[in-house]
Amino acid sequence: MNALASLLLASTDAGGVWLPPQASEQAADVDWLFWFIFYLCTFFFVLIVALAGYFSWAYRRRTPDQPPLPSAEHNTPLEVFWSVVPLVLVIYIFYVGFTGFMHLYSPPPGAYTIDVTAQKWSWAFRYPDGRTPLDGNLHVPPGEPIRLVMSSQDVLHSLFVPAFRVKQDLVPGRYTTLWFTAKPPAGTEPVEYLLTCTEYCGTGHSDMMRMVVVHPTRASFEEWLAKQDDVPPTAEVGERIYRQLCVACHNITGPVGQGPNFGETAQLLRAGGPRTMADGAAVVVDEEYIRESIMEPQARIVSGFQPVMPTFKGQLKEPHIGALIAYLRTLGE
Ligand code: HEC
Ligand SMILES: [Cu+2]
């Protein structure tokens, strides 16, 4: 019975066959209206198709020369019935949809605000005190309204968290907002949900995936936030940043991805270059070159590659760059 209910409704905290878990306080209402419309359509589909099938069988022509049956006369009660019932249903759907929409697009005053910047092809999140998440993911405290103030550096992007049932476009040249209240995780560990771009924005569109990390308590969120700045610039931290932010385009060895292999970069860093740029210049590969490649990737383009690397300015700070360089030094030894 439980299995049947979750198959038919898929509206549980844990998620069902068709929908992801309802991880925000907004999710249940969205799902409720979705399933209401879905089953209403199913009901009328079955009713209409069954009646049409039955009538064409019941009133079929029985002999080749049978004259047509007289058509039914006008029937006022029946016509009022089949006009008023759908009208009431549609008005009800409009009412629930419109009030739900207004609710979803009016963040409550005092919501915790996080800045979001999208660019081809990454997300940058900035907390009220200016800190940015080291792992590139959106970390949030549970059980309180979170408001995202969002803008785009280049083209249209769209932020979507399926488990929260919220989605909003990011438009260059203006701010848009989105809010949600994440449900507290069941256990004492943070829980992660997918965050993705749902507006096709170019070749790297599918790389625009991050996690929303819901902390079990406000205190554990604060503790995490406090740690975001003072990272030790060690190779381990560098490797973690690499896995989270760079691995999509930079392999270490093997086939070359969208960007140069870091094994090769590491060797050049050890030898001091030279690296040939698209304009033919041969440049020295040192710490400053690595730093520039990360903060101003468009300044100089490595020969044979496309200028597709996003800047990590605003997302990575000095200790992070130091950590990445320390990590590069461990490669290809
Ligand atoms: C969307 C793909 C993409 C991502 C993500 C990306 N890069 Fe790049 N990267 C490139 C491309 C393409 C180039 C070569 C063109 C250029 O110079 O901009 C490059 C070049 C570089 C270079 C110069 C390498 C050399 O051998 O000359 C460095 C250093 C670098 N990236 C570091 C990083 C770091 C560190 C990260 C993660 C924080 C990162 N990149 C994330 C695409 C990417
Ligand atoms: Cu995008």
Side-chain angles (χ1 to χ4, degrees), residues 159-220:
L159 186 144
F160 182 31
V161 184
F164 290 174
R165 311 288 193 276
V166 293
K167 171 152 82 170
Q168 173 65 48
D169 280 6
L170 290 83
V171 185
R174 74 148 102 169
Y175 291 108
T176 51
T177 59
L178 180 69
W179 78 279
F180 55 82
T181 304
K183 286 186 187 166
T188 54
E189 290 299 310
V191 181
E192 299 190 347
Y193 302 101
L194 182 71
L195 178 159
T196 167
C197 179
T198 47
E199 183 69 55
Y200 180 64
C201 54
T203 0
H205 170 63
S206 57
D207 294 333
M208 289 188 73
M209 283 201 286
R210 289 283 188 279
M211 289 299 182
V212 180
V213 183
V214 182
H215 285 258
T217 60
R218 173 84 199 200
S220 81

Side-chain angles (χ1 to χ4, degrees), residues 121 241 245-246 249-250 258-260 262 265 268 275 289-290 293-294 297 300-302 305-306 308-310 312 316 324:
W121 287 281
I241 301 174
L245 299 179
C246 326
C249 299
H250 292 280
Q258 284 195 64
F262 274 175
T265 309
L268 289 169
R275 182 50 122 179
Y289 169 76
I290 303 292
S293 298
I294 299 169
R300 291 187 283 191
I301 304 299
V302 180
F305 291 91
Q306 297 297 312
V308 294
M309 177 164 158
F312 289 91
L316 296 179
L324 281 162

Side-chain angles (χ1 to χ4, degrees), residues 97-116:
F98 185 70
T99 50
F101 177 86
M102 294 305 275
H103 177 65
L104 277 178
Y105 286 88
S106 329
Y112 185 84
T113 299
I114 302 171
D115 286 342
V116 180

